[in-house]
Amino acid sequence: MSSINLTHHFLIAMPNMVDPYFSKTLTYICEHSEQGALGIVVNKPIDMTLQALFERLSLTLDGREQRDAPVYFGGPVQTDRGFVLHAPAGEWQSTLRVRDAIGLTTSKDILEAVGRGEGPPKLLVTLGYAGWSAGQIEHELSQNAWLTVEAKDGIIFDLPAEERLPAAMELLGLDFARLADQAACRCVGRTRHH
């Protein structure tokens, strides 16, 4: 088994990915070890705003600019739980420190701080996460289900959701639309383009 570590990397779903949870997704890997991997899909907003989520949790949200921010589908595991990907990592009750600059927090104290206008300056709130058992992500990589590239914080926090996947592809020097066209060509038996 190789000792690949994809912590702080993006997983880019290949155009032929048929799994409805991961088709056309960009997933940020928060933790990767021999036990498996945990990631957050960062480009699939759902039909819920931060304001609606706070109301559901009986929390007040003072920050007017954040009220209309979307909540994201973070992955198919524990979709009833909230996960906050944020920068800086800070000090919260239950935070997985991805690196000094980024944390993934599941405790309510961070949302209470956001509600008071005291939360981290950059955050992305999801319902659910993506999880892989030991060796599963390595197997999927060997099956060409994903491309990987070291993550850039700005793609997660500074770009609109629909620009995140193409921006991650650009880190690899690839164009997602052209890659999808080439994948379609291979499926119907045409010659492979390089």
Side-chain angles (χ1 to χ4, degrees), residues 12-15 24-25 165-166 169 174-181:
I12 299 166
M14 289 294 284
K24 298 186 176 96
T25 58
L165 180 61
M169 295 289 287
L174 298 170
D175 177 326
F176 192 79
R178 286 192 44 215
L179 193 66
D181 290 346

Side-chain angles (χ1 to χ4, degrees), residues 158-178:
D158 301 336
L159 293 178
E162 67 276 5
E163 292 177 20
R164 292 175 188 156
L165 180 61
M169 295 289 287
E170 283 177 23
L171 294 176
L172 291 169
L174 298 170
D175 177 326
F176 192 79
R178 286 192 44 215

Side-chain angles (χ1 to χ4, degrees), residues 64-112:
R64 181 162 278 123
E65 69 283 346
Q66 292 183 317
R67 286 187 180 163
D68 295 330
V71 173
Y72 289 80
F73 167 77
V77 185
Q78 293 188 340
T79 54
D80 57 335
R81 284 195 61 197
F83 296 82
V84 183
L85 190 63
H86 55 89
E91 298 295 326
W92 308 100
Q93 288 171 8
S94 180
T95 299
L96 168 65
R97 190 175 286 272
V98 181
R99 25 183 295 225
D100 287 342
I102 295 184
L104 178 67
T105 298
T106 55
S107 50
K108 201 171 180 181
D109 59 336
I110 192 169
L111 292 178
E112 291 166 346

Side-chain angles (χ1 to χ4, degrees):
M1 174 123 147
S2 68
S3 59
I4 181 173
N5 186 339
L6 296 175
T7 300
H8 187 62
H9 279 68
F10 286 133
L11 279 190
I12 299 166
M14 289 294 284
N16 57 352
M17 173 78 72
V18 292
D19 184 326
Y21 291 124
F22 293 107
S23 176
K24 298 186 176 96
T25 58
L26 180 64
T27 304
Y28 177 70
I29 299 299
C30 301
E31 184 176 50
H32 185 209
S33 68
E34 292 84 31
Q35 285 80 46
L38 181 152
I40 296 289
V41 176
V42 297
N43 69 328
K44 292 270 185 187
I46 60 174
D47 192 19
M48 179 188 288
T49 62
L50 223 44
Q51 176 69 36
L53 178 65
F54 272 61
E55 286 171 6
R56 185 182 286 186
L57 298 171
S58 302
L59 293 172
T60 306
L61 181 59
D62 286 339
R64 181 162 278 123
E65 69 283 346
Q66 292 183 317
R67 286 187 180 163
D68 295 330
V71 173
Y72 289 80
F73 167 77
V77 185
Q78 293 188 340
T79 54
D80 57 335
R81 284 195 61 197
F83 296 82
V84 183
L85 190 63
H86 55 89
E91 298 295 326
W92 308 100
Q93 288 171 8
S94 180
T95 299
L96 168 65
R97 190 175 286 272
V98 181
R99 25 183 295 225
D100 287 342
I102 295 184
L104 178 67
T105 298
T106 55
S107 50
K108 201 171 180 181
D109 59 336
I110 192 169
L111 292 178
E112 291 166 346
V114 168
R116 293 189 305 269
E118 300 167 3
K122 298 185 176 194
L123 62 103
L124 185 137
V125 178
T126 75
L127 291 177
Y129 71 92
W132 291 266
S133 58
Q136 185 181 359
I137 209 166
E138 291 83 354
H139 175 73
E140 290 178 9
L141 285 168
S142 73
Q143 300 294 310
N144 296 319
W146 307 98
L147 293 173
T148 64
V149 65
E150 187 172 349
K152 293 244 183 299
D153 306 0
I155 290 177
I156 301 169
F157 298 115
D158 301 336
L159 293 178
E162 67 276 5
E163 292 177 20
R164 292 175 188 156
L165 180 61
M169 295 289 287
E170 283 177 23
L171 294 176
L172 291 169
L174 298 170
D175 177 326
F176 192 79
R178 286 192 44 215
L179 193 66
D181 290 346
Q182 290 175 8
C185 289
R186 281 199 290 276
C187 290
V188 295
R190 291 205 190 123
T191 57
R192 179 176 280 163
H193 301 288
H194 290 288

